[in-house]
Amino acid sequence: MKLLEERILKDGNVLGEGILKVDSFLTHQVDFELMQEIGKVFAEKYKDVGITKVVTIEASGIAPAIYAAQALNVPMIFAKKHKNITMTEGILTAEVYSFTKQVTSTVSIAGKFLQEDDVVLIVDDFLANGQAAKGLLEIIQQAGATVAGVGIVIEKSFQTGRALLEEAGVPVTSLARIQEFKDNTVVFTEADA
Ligand code: G4P
């Protein structure tokens, strides 16, 4: 997605250790116009497969996911990273290990929001090692629902996430694919949309 790649080049900052800081439009301050365009691109790609829910994980997946859901005219559900006192029964959970933070967290979705006949599009902001998306896949499988694909805003193609998801048989649509960081600038490989 050309608009996204241009924005990453303009406003993204490459930090050490393979991290891209995009807090001015995606992970902290959010550019809703860009998110809306991103949502439309995901929706266009998955419009013919009968998506009934968009699922993401808090926090930074929520912005692109809500606009994908709007464009597909379906509900958006975000997995929670912390137990909530109102989540009392029928909770679906998965353990997610973050290589970046080196911690394991339990993510959860209330079972009442996912049914067996649901066809789900997973959306997330970053795909690095794929652990967050894998956790969401596990939760959706526990519900007996189907995952039609994973929509990613920024994929770090030099990490293992894409291979993990494709091995699980799930199509991945990444709007920007980073091949490498060279001299503190981003080098893209061809994106999926
Ligand atoms: P994985 O899910 O693909 O395995 O990712 P990993 O454990 O490596 O990343 C953990 C967190 O760091 C995730 O967010 C992920 O989105 C984010 N992340 C990974 N690589 C980058 C990067 O290059 N830049 C930025 N800005 N974030 C990155 P999270 O902890 O769930 O955070 P949030 O969504 O609550 O903000």
Side-chain angles (χ1 to χ4, degrees):
M1 183 182 177
K2 198 163 186 309
L3 188 67
L4 174 64
E5 289 180 351
E6 286 170 357
R7 188 63 177 271
I8 291 169
L9 292 175
K10 181 170 161 277
D11 289 334
N13 288 305
V14 180
L15 306 183
E17 295 163 17
I19 299 289
L20 177 70
K21 192 167 174 174
V22 284
D23 63 349
S24 64
F25 62 93
L26 179 58
T27 61
H28 198 8
Q29 176 171 264
V30 176
D31 179 337
F32 71 86
E33 285 182 327
L34 179 63
M35 294 304 123
Q36 196 158 29
E37 291 309 309
I38 285 169
K40 284 181 195 165
V41 175
F42 286 139
E44 179 61 29
K45 190 91 184 172
Y46 288 92
K47 68 176 193 289
D48 296 326
V49 296
I51 301 291
T52 60
K53 305 266 165 70
V54 173
V55 169
T56 189
I57 185 164
E58 62 178 349
S60 305
I62 293 175
I66 191 75
Y67 286 108
Q70 182 190 39
L72 288 161
N73 195 26
V74 298
M76 185 278 284
I77 305 157
F78 62 92
K80 302 211 178 200
K81 288 180 182 163
H82 302 284
K83 274 223 172 75
N84 181 314
I85 50 165
T86 65
M87 288 176 85
T88 49
E89 55 195 313
I91 308 300
L92 308 170
T93 62
E95 301 293 305
V96 172
Y97 177 71
S98 168
F99 290 95
T100 310
K101 295 177 180 167
Q102 299 196 334
V103 290
T104 299
S105 54
T106 305
V107 300
S108 50
I109 291 180
K112 65 182 175 183
F113 294 126
L114 286 172
Q115 281 77 44
E116 280 185 11
D117 57 356
D118 275 322
V119 179
V120 176
L121 173 63
I122 293 174
V123 168
D124 210 356
D125 57 338
F126 271 93
L127 179 61
N129 294 300
Q131 296 303 302
K134 181 169 157 263
L136 294 179
L137 268 180
E138 282 171 26
I139 286 177
I140 294 158
Q141 280 161 1
Q142 283 170 37
T146 306
V147 176
V150 178
I152 295 293
V153 180
I154 303 175
E155 172 189 318
K156 295 195 292 183
S157 306
F158 53 88
Q159 292 185 245
T160 54
R162 190 183 187 98
L164 183 82
L165 296 175
E166 288 181 346
E167 273 161 31
V170 183
V172 179
T173 301
S174 299
L175 305 190
R177 300 186 67 204
I178 297 174
Q179 185 179 309
E180 61 172 328
F181 297 123
K182 199 172 181 186
D183 303 328
N184 278 354
T185 58
V186 177
V187 180
F188 293 109
T189 184
E190 195 179 342
D192 301 307

